[in-house]
Structure formats: C-alpha cells, structure tokens
Amino acid sequence: MKIAPFKVEEWMNAWETGARYNIAETCVDSVSLDELFEITGEDKEAFWNNISKKRLTYGYIVGNPEFKEGICQLYKTMTPGEIIPTHGAAGASHHVFYSLIEPGDRVISIMPTYQQLYSIPESFGADLKLLHLDEKNGYLPDMDELRRLAVPGTKLICINNPNNPTGALMSREMLEEIVEIAKSCGAYILCDEVYRHLTQEEEWSESIVDLYEKGISISSMSKVFSLAGIRLGWIASHDKEFLASVLSHRDYDLISCGLFDEEGASIALKHADKLLARNKAIVRGNLEILDTFIRNEPHLHYVKPKAGTTALVYYDFDIPSYEFCKKMYDTVGTFVTPGACFEEEHSMRIGYASDTEELRQGLAGMKKFMESLSD
C-alpha cells in the first residue's frame, strides 16, 4: 500500500532535536513526572510503590477503568464502555480509518489540517474530496460546499476542532449544522479533538460525540495535558457497530496500551482541572505575546487563533516556505513548520504553547532573520 509522505512529521523528525528555539512544538509546555505529582498533589512515593509491585502483563486489554473514567469526564454523555484507548491520537486516527473505510467510500476532509485525515483514507482507496478552508472565512468550513460534497452514501466527514494549524474553533451551532448534513447522507463524522478545551475564552468546548450518535472523537494526553511521553490516545463514540469494528481490528495491531502509561494518565485525568488551568494560562499568555509580535511586524499577517496551540502565519517575502524556514533555522536557530506541510505556501505554523521565554527568544530570532531579508 502506497501512502503520501507525512510532510509535517518528516520535517519535525529531521530538525526538531537540534533546534535552538523550538516554536514548532504543538504540545503545551511538557511536564516531568515530578511536575505532574507536584501539580496534582498525588503521593508520588505511594504511586511508585504500587506500580513497582505490579506484574508487567498486558494490563487491561480494553483500557484501565480509572483511565477511561477520567476520559469520560471530558465529555457530557460518554460511558467507559464507549472509550477505546490507542497509542496516541495518531493511533486513534489510523484505527478509525482502518476499521471503517473501504475502497470507493466517499470521504470528505477539510484542508488545511493534520495530514492523517486525508492521506490515510486516500491510501485505502477512498473517494476523497477536500473541503478547503479560507482565511477570509476565518478558516471555518463553507456549509454550502460541504452539502455539495456530501452526496448520498457518503461514509465519513473528517473535521478538526480546534483546527491545526490555524487555531480556528467551530461553534456548537456550526457543529450541529454539520451533524444535520451528515444525517442527510448517513455519514459518520470523525472530529480530531486533540486541542479541545484549550480555548482563549472561558467556555465549554463541544465534542462531536455529545451532538451526534455517529460522531467519533479522537484525542490524546499529548497536547492538552502536556504528556506526549505517555503514548496514549483514545477513540470515543456512541455507535456500537463502529466500536465493535475498532475492537476487532485493534486485536491485530495493538492488543493493549502500556500498563504504566495508563496508570500515569489516570492520575493526570483525576486532576484534569489543575492541568487545564495551568495550560490554559500558558496558551492565553503566550498567544498575547505572539499577537503583539505579529501586529508589529509589517511582513506578517494571520487570523488570531481562538483555541489550540498553533497559528498559521503568512509572510510577504518571495521565498518558498521550506526555504524560508530552513534558512531561519540555520541563521538564528528559530524552528517553525513550513506552511507547505499543510499545502499553504508562503506561511509557517508557529506553536505558541512552549516555554514562554523560549517563545520570546524564538520570535526575536525571527525578527532578526526577517530584517536580514529586508536589507
């Protein structure tokens, strides 16, 4: 089976570890285990004593009950039996497509978004249709265009909320309109929700699974909870037939997630409110820094994100984005992601949820680099 190169991951793999100022990172400033116990107030010694006594079996095949209970608290209507743990949100996405899509199935995906949402179904032989998001519309999907693409028999509509890379956030009303379109053609809706809850305003982030019986939510511990080293994600849905298909396919290439990972994630989710308070403060404060920077730079413009950890920033230099980002990396050490990784040329994705001082220094390096281009 052939599949398109995963542009953003290949870029990150090649350059991330050597970056001086990494403002391409999309996770909120990652925490150590020591910091996790400090934030949550849990007894670290008791945790280690307990887990050190456990035999290293496969653990809970369908997921640690405490972990799944914690996930349910992030939704309004989910029960533990409707949650399937995976190896990260990347594993969740792959399992959805692997379990649902057959050659010839109509799949609609937005663009720009995380490449999994269109390249994987395309590789499975789906009848892929792209719904391009427009900067002039705040990177929100055009409902008339979606209706045109959602022909009878459409199998799956793929959306991303909040959006990566733009930070656009769909309202409950827009999600309900998408649900009505999906109902009209019998489609499932897959919503990549890995940045959900990281809003700039204090508001509840709606999930597709709380609005639609055939909604599928995927998420993980990586972005919102700063625990990418715990390789855990999940699939959530009310649709029993779909969940049964996922579990059947999961037996072939996953079996279970890590026993240790699920124990650590259970502690984090038990205190989700504390981690979310920390991380919302980071993304809100850091976005103000980025916004001030962009408003004072005549060569840059963007649509200010409403949620998430990333912004798609356009520049007016006549340089392709791969070249722009590589030259900046080499000359000043600022590391961002080329917009071409998202099919958006003359732009870059900036991750603004890193350590605040690293963000400041990375932006200072960017300013210095752009000044050299203007000389």
Side-chain angles (χ1 to χ4, degrees), residues 264-295:
S266 297
I267 286 179
L269 291 175
K270 181 180 176 182
H271 301 278
D273 57 335
K274 296 176 182 177
L275 284 162
L276 282 170
R278 170 197 183 262
N279 290 357
K280 285 179 182 178
I282 290 172
V283 296
R284 291 171 184 177
N286 283 8
L287 182 55
E288 286 308 303
I289 293 170
L290 176 63
D291 188 60
T292 299
F293 174 80
I294 291 174
R295 284 190 284 108

Side-chain angles (χ1 to χ4, degrees), residues 39 41 86 222 255 309:
I39 292 167
T86 61
S222 300
I255 300 177
T309 68

Side-chain angles (χ1 to χ4, degrees), residues 360-373:
R360 291 184 189 276
Q361 292 183 21
L363 294 176
M366 184 181 297
K367 180 179 180 65
K368 181 177 179 182
F369 173 69
M370 290 190 300
E371 287 173 348
S372 72
L373 296 178

Side-chain angles (χ1 to χ4, degrees), residues 2 9-10 27 39 54 105 109 117 138 158 160 171 175 182 218 255 262 294 298 319 321 333 342-343 354:
K2 293 183 179 179
E9 296 301 338
E10 289 189 354
C27 301
I39 292 167
K54 289 184 180 290
D105 283 345
S109 177
L117 297 189
C158 301
N160 178 201
S171 66
L175 290 172
I218 59 169
I255 300 177
E262 290 190 344
I294 291 174
I319 305 172
S321 60
F342 300 91
E343 310 300 330
S354 60

Side-chain angles (χ1 to χ4, degrees), residues 113-129:
T113 189
Y114 198 53
Q115 191 177 336
Q116 276 193 315
L117 297 189
Y118 51 91
S119 285
I120 294 180
E122 184 177 44
S123 74
F124 286 171
D127 173 24
L128 178 70
K129 300 298 179 183

